């Protein structure tokens, strides 16, 4: 009696300690989660490899100027159309002249915005007389500095600029004051500000949508008002742990966090936490029907669930860490960020959730109210089944998993036609994969809603040479100056070619006719394109410019914003060739170790790769012909591959570990039927939950996240409902004992089959 009391006290102490530790993590991690946006870096140039031509060109180009600038552009035009008046030009000049003297926000302390400007604003009427351009040069080195609670300098300045345009000139994109002018803030700083605003929904809206969708699904799955709350709390605490770790590493400059990575982190943690929790809770509920004490049932459930959950988490983490092989820092840093999220989910499900479910001690079954599992229920089912002529185990299966038992038996009875037809259907969908356009888009296409910077860029392009603001930079030896200029002028899409003379940049034709600046025997030539520098057309122009310049000056380097996009696309294509084989190799090795079989590992991997190809094929049709998207970022297929293959294998792992467990008792074919029947409901629920959480990424109005949300959500459902429910069970059923080759179970089952055939012979 004393021993039992001592054991109960120790178990209660363990529960209290576990919950206490996680409450501490939640209090610290919750604050860190809310501050993640403060340690974001969204500058695409910072992610390029040091060997990229645009990176090397940027390093040399920086030697020609005292400080790097981040252009902020204000473009104005009469609301009623027509010519700009002298009065309007004078008012804009007065407005621009007063910008450096504007005080900083109160939260930033004393000072004026002039301390963040590297030159006085320049006012330029268009040649057609129908628009006015104001070029404001922010200090590029200080643009990412934090300005108190106002956020980054660049974002705060754009917000202040838009406010002042409305207050002083009465000019915004949608209205005009007494001067009759409409105004848009665009350029690199305007785009960054709008991007930060779009990512601002990650901390609030995205999590609320994701958690809300998960809560609804869990209520339908569990038919209990309490159990879903335990699972949701587990996901929230896992997210707090992940946010704490990621914030600490990003704040210490050990990893780089961008807006996309933060959004993906939130979704991964919520989805993985709920997936693992569903598996553990399902096994816990099953064990509660066989033992009286909840702590004993939890112990048995954790022992049975540890291997598949650990294998699942390990597979995803290993796949994500393969992103460290990427040439792009944005991809490299997503690997550890997302891996931290998966590890946090794993720890929360195996420590916090069990402790929470054991609150109440012997009365801990209250979490399952009103459908509380009790030991006597299994015996009643077995007795009723025997009366109906069923085996005891089959009676329990039919009562608890009726629909899945019928599906499992149907798949077993029609294994060959099932796997052949599903394979053909998936292959047909995969045939559309080559039509997916993933060679990059214009920056203006990134936003799915109307934003000021995109509308302003269009107005700018209508009245000014848009590429003059961020021209391509050619760094070449002084002796090649004339040849480089002549070659650049012949490239289609080039508007002007101007050797850099030290004059202020941003104004079309600035510095023309002056002597070029020479640094270490090199000169810089600014090449303005007719298309905006962030457009797909400008990227094509720069690609042709590189060919033309390299032909006359082999050591010349071509950089600039469009060149950075070109190099990013090339690096993304290289990443696909490097990372995809690495992910496949890592996953197949983990599967071999887990299942002790080469055949099963290859079957699972092949099925998931086919599912991934089918998902991209369907996405291509939807993006091209239904939603009318202009294309996709080159990193979309890479991210989709890592998530779909790594996460898709999860469900096959959950299935096959149970099939292997049952096969040891009743043989492979019967084990397939029982494994599919028992895991069908929980795995399908997990798939629906993960699809819903990834679909929540669609609330962020950015093209990349919307496309990733569709591909992963659709792919997870396809994998859950088709690959794991039909294709994999049918193939394994058809292979029978050969599915476990060369493991010991394969040899022992083949010997049993051989003996059965011998005894059956006359």
């Amino acid at each position: 009696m004393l021993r039992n009391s001592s054991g109960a006290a120790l178990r209660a102490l363990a529960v209290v300690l576990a919950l206490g530790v996680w409450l501490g993590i939640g209090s610290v991690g919750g604050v860190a989660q809310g501050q993640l946006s403060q340690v974001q870096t969204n500058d695409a140039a910072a992610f390029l490899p040091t060997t990229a031509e645009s990176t090397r060109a940027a390093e040399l180009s920086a030697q020609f100027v005292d400080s790097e600038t981040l252009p902020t552009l204000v473009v104005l035009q009469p609301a009623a159309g027509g010519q700009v008046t002298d009065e309007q030009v004078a008012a804009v000049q007065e407005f621009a002249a007063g910008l450096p003297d504007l005080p900083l926000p109160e939260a930033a302390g004393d000072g004026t915005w002039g301390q963040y400007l590297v030159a006085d604003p320049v006012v330029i009427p268009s040649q057609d007389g129908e628009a006015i351009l104001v070029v404001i040069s922010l200090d590029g080195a200080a643009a990412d500095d934090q300005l108190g609670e106002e956020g980054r300098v660049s974002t705060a300045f754009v917000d202040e600029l838009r406010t002042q345009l409305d207050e002083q000139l009465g000019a915004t994109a949608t209205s005009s004051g007494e001067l009759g002018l409409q105004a848009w803030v665009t350029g690199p700083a305007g785009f960054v500000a709008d991007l930060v605003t779009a990512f601002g929904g990650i901390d609030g809206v995205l999590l609320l949508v994701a958690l809300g969708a998960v809560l609804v699904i869990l209520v339908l799955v569990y038919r209990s008002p309490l159990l879903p709350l335990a699972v949701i709390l587990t996901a929230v605490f896992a997210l707090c742990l992940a946010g704490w770790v990621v914030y600490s590493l990003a704040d210490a400059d050990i990893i780089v966090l961008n807006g996309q990575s933060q959004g993906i982190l939130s979704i991964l943690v919520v989805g993985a936490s709920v997936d693992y929790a569903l598996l553990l809770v399902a096994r816990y509920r099953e064990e509660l029907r066989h033992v009286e004490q909840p702590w004993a049932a939890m112990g048995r459930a954790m022992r049975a669930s540890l291997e598949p959950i650990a294998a699942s988490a390990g597979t995803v983490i290993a796949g994500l860490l393969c992103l460290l092989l990427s040439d792009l820092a944005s991809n490299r840093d997503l690997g550890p960020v997302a891996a931290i999220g998966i590890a946090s989910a794993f720890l929360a499900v195996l420590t916090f959730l069990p402790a929470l479910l054991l609150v109440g001690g012997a009365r801990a079954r209250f979490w399952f109210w009103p459908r509380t599992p009790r030991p006597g229920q299994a015996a009643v089912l077995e007795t009723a089944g025997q009366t109906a002529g069923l085996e005891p185990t089959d009676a329990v299966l039919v009562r608890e998993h009726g629909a899945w038992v019928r599906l499992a038996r149907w798949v077993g009875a029609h294994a060959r036609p099932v796997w052949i037809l599903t394979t053909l259907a998936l292959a047909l969908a995969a045939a559309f994969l080559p039509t997916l356009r993933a060679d990059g888009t214009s920056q203006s296409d990134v936003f799915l809603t109307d934003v000021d910077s995109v509308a302003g860029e269009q107005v700018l392009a209508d009245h000014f040479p848009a590429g003059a603001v961020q021209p391509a930079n050619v760094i070449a030896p002084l002796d090649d100056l004339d040849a480089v200029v002549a070659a650049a002028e012949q490239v289609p899409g080039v508007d002007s070619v101007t050797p850099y003379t030290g004059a202020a940049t941003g104004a079309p034709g600035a510095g023309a006719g002056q002597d070029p600046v020479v640094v270490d025997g090199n000169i810089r030539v600014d090449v303005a394109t007719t298309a905006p520098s962030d457009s797909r057309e400008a990227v094509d122009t720069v690609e042709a410019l590189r060919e033309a310049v390299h032909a006359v000056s082999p050591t010349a380097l071509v950089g600039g914003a469009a060149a950075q996009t070109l190099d990013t696309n090339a690096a993304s294509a290289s990443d696909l060739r490097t990372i995809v084989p690495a992910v496949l190799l890592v996953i197949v090795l983990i599967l071999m170790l887990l299942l002790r079989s080469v055949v099963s590992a290859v079957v699972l991997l092949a099925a998931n790769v086919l599912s991934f190809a089918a998902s991209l094929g369907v996405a291509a049709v939807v993006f091209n012909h239904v939603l009318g998207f202009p294309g996709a970022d080159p990193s979309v297929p890479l991210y989709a591959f890592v998530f779909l293959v790594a996460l898709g294998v999860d469900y096959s792992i959950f299935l096959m570990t149970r099939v292997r467990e049952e096969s040891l008792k009743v043989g492979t074919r019967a084990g397939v039927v029982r494994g599919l029947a028992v895991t069908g409901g929980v795995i399908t629920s997990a798939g629906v939950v993960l699809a819903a959480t990834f679909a929540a990424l669609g609330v962020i109005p950015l093209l990349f996240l919307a496309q990733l949300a569709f591909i992963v959500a659709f792919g997870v459902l396809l994998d859950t409902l088709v690959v794991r429910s039909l294709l994999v069970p049918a193939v394994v059923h058809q292979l029978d004992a050969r599915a476990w080759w060369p493991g010991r179970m394969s040899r022992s089952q083949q010997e049993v089959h051989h003996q059965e055939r011998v005894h059956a012979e006359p």
Side-chain angles (χ1 to χ4, degrees):
M1 187 69 179
L2 182 61
R3 183 178 299 176
N4 290 337
S5 299
S6 176
L10 288 175
R11 289 190 292 271
L13 179 60
V15 168
V16 171
L17 286 176
L19 294 179
V21 169
W22 277 102
L23 286 174
I25 291 173
S27 62
V28 177
V31 175
Q33 178 70 25
Q35 296 176 338
L36 283 178
S37 59
Q38 298 180 10
V39 291
Q40 282 185 17
T41 299
N42 293 302
D43 180 13
F47 300 135
L48 282 167
T50 57
T51 56
E53 182 172 344
S54 59
T55 303
R56 291 180 287 143
E59 293 174 353
L60 295 177
S61 179
Q63 299 176 9
F64 288 80
V65 295
D66 294 331
S67 60
E68 290 294 319
T69 63
L70 181 68
T72 307
L73 309 179
V74 181
V75 57
L76 306 97
Q77 68 176 12
Q83 298 290 305
V84 175
T85 66
D86 292 340
E87 180 186 6
Q88 290 171 331
V89 173
V92 172
Q93 289 175 333
E94 182 181 356
F95 169 79
L99 289 177
D101 297 326
L102 288 175
L104 294 172
E106 291 183 6
D110 297 332
T112 65
W113 281 108
Q115 67 191 71
Y116 291 108
L117 303 182
V118 298
D120 292 333
V122 180
V123 178
I124 310 162
S126 63
Q127 290 186 352
D128 60 13
E130 296 179 357
I132 305 171
L133 175 64
V134 181
V135 180
I136 308 166
S137 299
L138 273 174
D139 185 349
D144 283 338
D145 292 348
Q146 288 293 322
L147 201 61
E149 297 179 356
E150 300 296 323
R152 299 180 185 277
V153 167
S154 59
T155 305
F157 178 71
V158 170
D159 291 341
E160 178 67 19
L161 187 56
R162 287 169 174 163
T163 299
Q164 293 300 323
L165 283 167
D166 184 32
E167 292 180 355
Q168 295 190 35
L169 298 181
T172 66
T174 57
S175 64
S176 58
E178 295 181 0
L179 290 173
L181 289 172
Q182 286 182 298
W184 296 262
V185 180
T186 184
F191 274 106
V192 170
D194 288 336
L195 195 62
V196 170
T197 300
F199 279 131
I202 285 178
D203 289 334
V205 177
L206 177 60
L207 279 179
L208 287 176
V209 171
L211 292 175
V214 169
L215 182 60
V216 170
I217 295 171
L218 290 178
V219 169
L220 295 175
V221 170
Y222 289 133
R223 301 179 188 177
S224 167
L226 300 177
L227 199 54
L229 296 178
V231 175
I232 291 292
L233 278 175
T234 302
V236 170
F237 275 95
L239 193 57
C240 289
L241 174 59
W244 181 21
V245 175
V246 170
Y247 176 85
S248 300
L249 295 177
D251 190 47
D253 294 327
I254 297 175
I255 61 174
V256 177
L257 177 72
N258 60 22
Q260 291 178 355
S261 297
Q262 184 180 342
I264 291 170
L265 171 67
S266 302
I267 291 303
L268 270 181
V269 172
V270 173
S273 298
V274 175
D275 274 8
Y276 302 155
L278 281 166
L279 190 68
L280 177 62
V281 171
R283 196 61 184 250
Y284 177 46
R285 189 209 299 263
E286 187 177 328
E287 297 299 339
L288 282 173
R289 295 193 179 96
H290 296 91
V291 297
E292 182 64 36
Q293 293 297 333
W295 61 266
M298 180 60 74
R300 294 169 66 171
M302 289 188 66
R303 286 192 294 273
S305 303
L306 178 60
E307 185 178 46
I309 293 178
S312 170
T315 301
V316 178
I317 289 173
L320 290 168
L321 291 181
C322 288
L323 289 172
L324 291 171
L325 300 174
S326 172
D327 286 336
L328 292 174
S330 55
N331 292 344
R332 285 199 306 274
D333 290 307
L334 174 64
V337 167
I340 289 168
I342 296 296
S344 300
F346 174 76
L347 291 173
V349 169
L350 291 183
T351 56
F352 175 77
L353 181 59
L356 189 61
L357 292 179
L358 290 176
V359 169
R363 297 180 177 83
R365 281 181 167 84
F366 75 87
W367 286 105
F368 293 90
W369 182 86
R371 304 179 67 189
T372 307
R374 298 192 181 281
Q377 294 173 349
V380 171
L381 290 174
E382 291 177 5
T383 302
Q386 288 174 338
T387 303
L390 295 174
E391 291 294 326
T393 304
D394 291 341
V396 177
L397 282 177
V398 171
R399 173 63 178 82
E400 295 298 317
H401 314 282
W404 287 101
V405 170
R406 290 189 290 273
L407 175 64
R409 289 174 175 172
W410 180 82
V411 170
H414 307 85
R416 180 173 295 177
V418 166
W419 75 259
I420 290 176
L421 290 176
T422 51
T423 300
L424 290 176
L426 292 172
L428 178 62
F432 293 94
L433 173 58
T435 65
L436 180 67
R437 302 193 302 268
D439 56 351
T441 61
S442 300
Q443 188 170 353
S444 58
D445 293 324
V446 168
F447 299 94
L448 296 179
T449 56
D450 295 333
V451 295
D452 201 41
S453 57
V454 173
E457 183 184 77
Q458 182 58 54
V459 177
L460 180 69
D462 290 341
H463 302 286
F464 297 91
V469 177
Q470 280 189 300
N473 309 130
V474 181
I475 310 299
L478 176 62
D479 294 341
D480 296 338
L481 173 60
D482 293 337
V484 166
V485 171
E489 289 176 338
Q490 300 302 312
V491 175
V494 168
D495 181 77
S496 64
V497 181
T498 309
Y500 178 69
T501 62
T505 59
Q514 301 179 22
D515 293 333
V517 174
V518 181
V519 177
D520 294 335
N522 292 324
I523 47 89
R524 190 182 97 180
V525 178
D526 293 338
V527 180
T529 56
T530 55
S533 58
D534 59 354
S535 66
R536 190 73 187 92
E537 293 78 8
V539 173
D540 294 336
T541 299
V542 167
E543 186 173 15
L545 175 66
R546 277 184 174 173
E547 294 181 4
V549 168
H550 291 163
V552 299
S553 180
T555 60
L557 299 174
V558 179
Q564 290 169 0
T565 302
L566 178 62
D567 290 338
T568 299
N569 293 345
S572 296
S574 175
D575 286 348
L576 273 175
R577 295 189 295 269
T578 303
I579 294 174
V580 167
V583 172
L584 294 177
L585 178 61
V586 167
I587 290 178
V588 77
L589 289 176
I590 292 176
L591 289 175
M592 288 178 183
L593 292 174
L594 174 67
L595 300 174
R596 290 85 160 173
S597 166
V598 173
V599 173
S600 291
V602 172
V603 166
L604 294 187
L605 191 63
N608 281 276
V609 169
L610 180 59
S611 174
F612 163 73
S615 300
L616 281 193
V618 171
V621 174
V622 173
F623 294 167
N624 297 343
H625 304 293
V626 178
L627 300 178
F629 286 155
D633 190 274
S635 60
V636 168
L638 176 63
Y639 283 19
F641 175 82
V642 173
F643 294 139
L644 275 183
V645 173
L647 292 172
V649 168
D650 277 6
Y651 303 120
S652 295
I653 287 175
F654 295 163
L655 169 67
M656 289 300 292
T657 51
R658 189 57 182 261
V659 167
R660 190 175 189 279
E661 178 183 335
E662 298 293 340
S663 297
L664 288 169
K665 305 173 186 176
V666 296
T668 299
R669 288 185 171 172
V672 168
V673 173
R674 289 190 182 183
L676 178 56
V678 172
T679 63
V682 64
I683 294 178
T684 300
S685 300
V688 172
V689 166
L690 188 62
T693 53
F694 263 96
L697 280 173
V699 304
I700 305 300
L702 296 173
L703 180 65
F704 172 86
L705 293 180
Q707 291 176 327
L708 188 63
F710 176 85
I711 294 173
V712 177
F714 177 82
V716 167
L717 290 177
L718 182 67
D719 192 82
T720 304
L721 301 176
V722 177
V723 174
R724 194 269 313 151
S725 299
L726 299 175
L727 180 57
V728 169
V731 171
V732 175
H733 192 282
Q734 183 82 30
L735 290 171
D736 199 6
R738 291 168 294 181
W740 310 110
W741 184 90
R744 188 181 308 169
M745 193 164 71
S746 171
R747 295 192 297 271
S748 62
Q749 289 193 32
Q750 287 177 357
E751 291 174 2
V752 170
H753 294 329
H754 174 71
Q755 293 297 328
E756 290 176 348
R757 287 195 298 270
V758 169
H759 290 302
E761 292 178 358

